[in-house]
Amino acid sequence: MMNLNKTYWDAAYARDEIGWDIGYASPPLKAYVDQLTDKSIKILVPGVGNGYEAEYLFNKGFTHTHVIDISAQPLHNLKNRVPTFPEDQLLHMDFFDLEDSGFDLILEQTFFCSLPPSKRQSYAIKMHELLAPKGKLVGLLFNTTFSGNTPPFGGNEKEYRAIFDGLFSIKVLETAYNSIKPRKGNELFFIFEK
Ligand SMILES: C[S@@+](CC[C@H](N)C(=O)[O-])C[C@H]1O[C@@H](n2cnc3c(N)ncnc32)[C@H](O)[C@@H]1O
């Protein structure tokens, strides 16, 4: 397995090899956000990339939205599109080094699948640590396998249950009905509660 470090992700952005980037807030996450009422909640979007969901949240008035990426380029892109996004909520760092807590909501989209599978348990533990009591990790996980030894890395419902079950209450884990066309039938929408 190659080293999926900052250099790897910086190179992907430098070469514009960002096949995961859909260019707008993904419909399943947008639909979830649209039914939230309390705009004061503390939100995190890790491995945010160009951050269309974070942009959507911020513009809707969810001003306590924090984003992290190991690569600086996508954070600059987000800041350019949303100049009023607070600098101290744009975190250029490794997710696993984040020392914070009390998030009410953490949004997942193609960050989990970008990590080496050996880090999946650490991901679950870190998410649990970052969330407030009753806080939710919500998003999408691929329900398919990919070939090759570079991201994305897929999986299935059984594997995901084994990873998250002990730490979270699995409220929803089912095929998303509103995926974008290329991902239709191949992604699970989930809500895991601490
Ligand atoms: C596949 S992209 C997904 C971007 C975005 N979530 C989306 O759906 O468009 C994975 C992102 O995670 C970032 N990343 C990978 N490993 C990371 C880590 N350990 N800490 C923070 N960000 C990381 C990469 O730089 C990249 O922007």
Side-chain angles (χ1 to χ4, degrees), residues 107-166:
L107 282 186
E108 162 59 51
Q109 177 176 248
T110 71
F111 173 51
F112 180 86
C113 71
S114 77
L115 298 170
S118 60
K119 285 208 164 169
R120 289 182 171 184
Q121 200 61 55
S122 310
Y123 168 105
I125 292 167
K126 189 70 188 174
M127 289 297 184
H128 188 266
E129 178 189 313
L130 291 170
L131 285 166
K134 294 275 175 192
K136 290 177 182 138
L137 172 62
V138 175
L140 298 159
L141 294 169
F142 280 116
N143 188 20
T144 185
T145 45
F146 300 98
S147 58
N149 58 354
T150 55
F153 302 107
N156 58 53
E157 185 181 336
K158 194 165 166 243
E159 284 174 53
Y160 302 146
R161 280 192 187 275
I163 293 166
F164 293 99
D165 226 355

Side-chain angles (χ1 to χ4, degrees), residues 2 7 13 17 22 39 57 77 82 102 131 135 138-139 142 160 163 168 191 193:
M2 68 196 311
T7 307
Y13 284 102
E17 287 170 3
I22 65 177
K39 297 198 172 166
L57 279 162
N77 298 344
V82 192
L131 285 166
V138 175
F142 280 116
Y160 302 146
I163 293 166
F168 296 89
I191 300 176
E193 189 180 87

Side-chain angles (χ1 to χ4, degrees), residues 28-132:
L29 295 183
K30 183 173 174 292
Y32 181 79
V33 166
D34 283 345
Q35 51 81 53
L36 297 174
T37 49
D38 182 359
K39 297 198 172 166
S40 71
I41 59 172
K42 185 175 174 185
I43 304 175
L44 178 68
V45 188
V48 68
N50 280 320
Y52 309 104
E53 292 76 23
E55 176 178 7
Y56 185 71
L57 279 162
F58 192 77
N59 288 338
K60 273 203 105 174
F62 292 90
T63 52
H64 294 122
T65 299
H66 299 64
V67 303
I68 310 181
D69 208 283
I70 203 167
S71 186
Q73 187 59 56
L75 297 175
H76 289 310
N77 298 344
L78 174 58
K79 181 76 181 169
N80 283 338
R81 298 198 318 275
V82 192
T84 52
F85 202 101
E87 203 67 59
D88 63 351
Q89 289 167 216
L90 285 164
L91 309 172
H92 178 211
M93 63 187 297
D94 188 321
F95 165 74
F96 293 97
D97 294 335
L98 178 62
E99 300 221 353
D100 200 349
S101 60
F103 288 97
D104 301 295
L105 173 65
I106 303 182
L107 282 186
E108 162 59 51
Q109 177 176 248
T110 71
F111 173 51
F112 180 86
C113 71
S114 77
L115 298 170
S118 60
K119 285 208 164 169
R120 289 182 171 184
Q121 200 61 55
S122 310
Y123 168 105
I125 292 167
K126 189 70 188 174
M127 289 297 184
H128 188 266
E129 178 189 313
L130 291 170
L131 285 166

